[in-house]
């Protein structure tokens, strides 16, 4: 009886000490290195969730270490804390960085320059009515008009770089879709001009 | 050449299983690293078999030390990320509440639980430079109507704070770039709520209410 009590106490102590090791390490790894998330919604088709929710959603691996200095490249798929709902994350492709001139898609076609410290993200599926892939409950707003929702609806000048959460590097589920995600921009969405880079190129050409 | 070394290692007396598998792994590396890695494996295996106990003890202590470092590093990360952190403020935009070179404690729980309220002083990432932090007071939350015209303007202009954003203003209205110049700030950029002033010691304690009277009062 006393032996059993002793063994039970030892077990509890081992469990508690293991718990205090495992939880901080897991939390730190999820915050700093890698995060795993399920993609919901169809606004990144065909790159992610190509068949919608019929065969199950894609699960992606988000690399948080590579964005620790807020360095993203054009064409990357990144997850971003939503400016409309701080508890939700949205996953989109980076189209333009600070200083780029882009032509926006939407009900008002216009050109704008992405301000400092911001970047421009868009979903790949330009005709879909849902505007965000999210990791939790998606913003289901069926009444939303089709055209205006593809790109940065929330901020007409882009999304702040401080909101970037991680870069999607691999698709890890389902197994037949295991792949590395390569950065690529659809050619019709390339930024027109970069204020910082293209100015020096023009001078050299002359 | 590398194959010969592998066989030599394999047939060494008192060879630990670790040394053998490490050498096999090294043989899989690209050419540049192969010779260096195999030499290191050989040296380690030789030391382990010759030096014996003492080397094993040193190795064990080093690994234990590394393990403790990792564990305490992770606990420190969790504390700074989810409980609170110390911040040294600089700049005149929050005078007289917070002056330059004051040290304050900002707690993170309110931000994660979405309990930031009007009148709180918050630390947030700057919308135009994510490496910089700004310290301002929350004047309005989402849905509030903010008066954006100055006190001397004849025609008053108003702006509504969009969903998921907050309106930040410094206490020193004359000398502060805040939401009046760059617009509402997304809530997700907020890092924490300042709750306690720690330095200078004669000003220790909780922070004062807003001296500007600009905080929006909800009418409903």
């Amino acid at each position: 009886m006393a032996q059993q009590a002793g063994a039970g106490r030892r077990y509890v102590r081992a469990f508690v000490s293991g718990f205090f090791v495992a939880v901080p390490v897991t939390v730190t790894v999820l915050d700093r290195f890698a995060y795993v998330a399920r993609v919901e919604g169809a606004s990144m088709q065909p790159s992610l969730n190509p068949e919608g929710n019929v065969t199950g959603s894609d699960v992606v691996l988000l690399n948080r270490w590579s964005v620790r200095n807020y360095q993203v490249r054009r064409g990357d798929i990144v997850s971003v804390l939503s400016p409309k709902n701080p508890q939700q994350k949205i996953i989109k492709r980076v189209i333009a960085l600070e200083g780029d001139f882009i032509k926006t898609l939407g009900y008002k076609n216009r050109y704008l320059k992405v301000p400092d410290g911001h970047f421009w993200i868009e979903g790949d599926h330009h005709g879909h009515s849902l505007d965000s892939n999210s990791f939790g409950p998606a913003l289901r707003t069926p009444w939303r008009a089709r055209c205006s929702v593809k790109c940065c609806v929330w901020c007409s000048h882009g999304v702040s770089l401080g909101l970037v959460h991680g870069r999607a590097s691999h698709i890890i589920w389902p197994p037949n879709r295991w792949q590395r995600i390569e950065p690529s921009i659809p050619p019709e969405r390339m930024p027109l001009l970069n204020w910082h880079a293209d100015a020096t190129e023009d001078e050299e050409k002359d | 050449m590398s194959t010969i070394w592998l066989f030599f290692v394999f047939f060494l007396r008192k060879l630990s299983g670790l040394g053998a598998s490490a050498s096999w792994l090294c043989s899989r590396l690209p050419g540049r690293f192969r010779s260096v890695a195999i030499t290191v494996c050989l040296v380690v295996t030789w030391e382990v078999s010759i030096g014996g106990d003492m080397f094993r003890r040193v190795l064990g202590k080093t690994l234990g030390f590394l393990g403790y470092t990792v564990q305490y590093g992770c606990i420190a990360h969790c504390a700074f990320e989810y409980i609170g952190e110390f911040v040294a403020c600089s700049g005149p935009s929050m005078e007289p509440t917070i002056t330059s070179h004051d040290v304050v404690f900002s707690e993170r729980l309110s931000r994660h639980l979405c309990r930031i309220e009007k009148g709180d002083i918050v630390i947030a990432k700057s919308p135009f430079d994510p490496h910089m932090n700004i310290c301002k007071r929350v004047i309005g939350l989402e849905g509030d109507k903010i008066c954006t015209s100055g006190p001397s303007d004849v025609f008053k202009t108003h702006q509504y704070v969009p969903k998921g954003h907050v309106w930040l203003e410094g206490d020193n209205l004359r000398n502060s770039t805040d939401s009046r110049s760059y617009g509402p700030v997304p809530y997700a950029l907020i890092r924490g709520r300042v709750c306690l002033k720690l330095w200078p010691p004669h000003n220790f304690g909780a922070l004062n209410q807003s001296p500007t009277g600009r905080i929006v009062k909800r009418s409903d």
Side-chain angles (χ1 to χ4, degrees):
Chain A
M1 207 54 182
Q3 269 183 347
Q4 281 175 354
R9 224 176 299 141
R10 267 203 308 275
Y11 178 75
V12 166
R13 231 193 336 207
F15 178 78
V16 165
S17 64
F19 180 83
F20 276 110
V21 170
V23 167
V25 171
T26 314
V27 167
T28 307
V29 166
L30 289 177
D31 277 351
R32 293 263 177 198
F33 298 106
Y35 196 86
V36 174
R38 177 182 287 274
V39 175
E40 285 180 21
S43 71
M44 280 300 286
Q45 286 178 349
S47 325
L48 301 174
N49 271 4
E51 287 121 44
N53 286 332
V54 172
T55 47
S57 322
D58 283 350
V59 174
V60 293
L61 180 72
L62 296 169
N63 186 344
R64 302 205 61 184
W65 184 252
S66 58
V67 297
R68 67 191 185 283
N69 281 328
Y70 309 104
Q71 300 208 319
V72 290
R73 294 167 300 185
R74 295 181 191 84
D76 277 344
I77 299 185
V78 291
S79 66
V80 157
L81 294 166
S82 170
K84 276 209 154 160
N85 182 353
Q87 283 159 325
Q88 194 181 68
K89 295 173 195 61
I90 50 183
I91 184 164
K92 297 272 188 246
R93 194 180 289 277
V94 177
I95 298 291
L97 300 176
E98 62 186 11
D100 289 348
F101 279 89
I102 53 160
K103 181 168 183 290
T104 63
L105 295 173
Y107 61 98
K108 275 197 277 193
N109 284 344
R110 55 199 174 99
Y111 297 89
L112 68 86
K113 173 173 178 266
V114 180
D116 282 345
H118 288 70
F119 64 125
W120 190 267
I121 56 177
E122 283 180 8
D124 284 348
H125 193 161
H126 293 303
H128 204 269
S129 59
L130 279 173
D131 72 335
S132 58
N133 278 319
S134 38
F135 302 115
L139 283 172
R140 303 253 175 241
T141 53
W143 49 264
R144 193 188 283 274
R146 277 176 5 116
C147 296
S148 60
V149 301
K150 297 156 292 246
C151 33
C152 285
V153 191
W154 329 279
C155 291
S156 53
H157 53 277
V159 173
S160 179
L161 260 178
L163 294 173
V164 79
H165 179 252
R167 177 183 18 245
S169 59
H170 294 78
I171 300 179
I172 56 178
W173 189 268
N176 59 323
R177 287 195 30 89
W178 278 350
Q179 61 188 272
R180 209 175 140 184
I181 299 180
E182 299 294 340
S184 74
I185 309 184
E188 68 273 10
R189 300 302 301 142
M190 287 283 280
L192 302 166
L193 169 73
N194 183 287
W195 188 256
H196 308 295
D198 285 20
T200 47
E201 277 174 24
D202 284 345
E203 278 164 16
E204 280 167 21
K205 272 191 228 155
D206 291 345
Chain B
M1 194 60 180
S2 53
T3 332
I4 296 173
W5 279 115
L6 265 181
F7 277 115
F8 180 73
V9 161
F10 202 78
F11 291 115
L12 198 63
R13 268 182 52 189
K14 289 194 193 172
L15 183 72
S16 62
L18 190 61
S21 32
S23 304
W24 178 83
L25 275 174
C26 292
S27 66
R28 290 279 175 278
L29 290 173
R32 240 184 325 164
F33 301 115
R34 194 180 295 186
S35 41
V36 172
I38 289 188
T39 316
V40 168
C41 287
L42 276 178
V43 167
V44 168
T45 318
W46 187 262
E47 295 277 354
V48 166
S49 57
I50 298 293
D53 253 1
M54 202 186 86
F55 189 75
R56 274 196 208 101
R57 252 186 291 139
V58 167
L59 193 66
K61 278 209 167 70
T62 317
L63 288 176
F65 176 73
L66 279 177
Y68 273 120
T69 315
V70 166
Q71 184 186 344
Y72 288 126
C74 294
I75 292 179
H77 166 87
C78 290
F80 287 128
E81 187 70 29
Y82 295 102
I83 300 178
E85 56 182 2
F86 300 99
V87 182
C89 306
S90 69
S93 63
M94 281 298 290
E95 286 174 359
T97 318
I98 301 178
T99 40
S100 201
H101 308 302
D102 280 357
V103 176
V104 297
F105 180 74
S106 88
E107 50 101 3
R108 302 274 207 152
L109 280 174
S110 333
R111 183 249 181 252
H112 288 293
L113 300 173
C114 286
R115 292 228 195 273
I116 302 273
E117 285 163 19
K118 272 187 281 219
D120 286 343
I121 303 181
V122 294
I123 309 276
K125 284 192 234 183
S126 164
F128 290 100
D129 183 1
H131 298 281
M132 267 189 16
N133 295 323
I134 55 176
C135 176
K136 304 279 178 227
R137 199 182 284 270
V138 175
I139 299 294
L141 299 171
E142 63 187 22
D144 288 344
K145 190 167 149 186
I146 307 282
C147 177
T148 47
S149 55
S152 50
D153 290 350
V154 177
F155 295 108
K156 305 274 178 212
T157 52
H158 291 97
Q159 189 177 345
Y160 283 94
V161 181
K163 188 168 186 305
H165 289 65
V166 294
W167 190 270
L168 301 177
E169 281 183 12
D171 283 350
N172 190 357
L173 285 173
R174 265 189 277 262
N175 202 352
S176 161
T177 32
D178 43 39
S179 290
R180 289 171 300 160
S181 41
Y182 47 68
V185 173
Y187 183 97
L189 284 178
I190 293 180
R191 289 174 62 121
R193 181 180 73 95
V194 174
C195 56
L196 208 57
K197 206 200 295 201
L198 298 172
W199 187 269
H202 58 87
N203 265 343
F204 183 92
L207 292 123
N208 302 325
Q209 301 291 324
S210 167
T212 57
R214 292 264 302 160
I215 299 185
V216 176
K217 294 179 192 17
R218 256 266 155 84
S219 51
D220 50 347

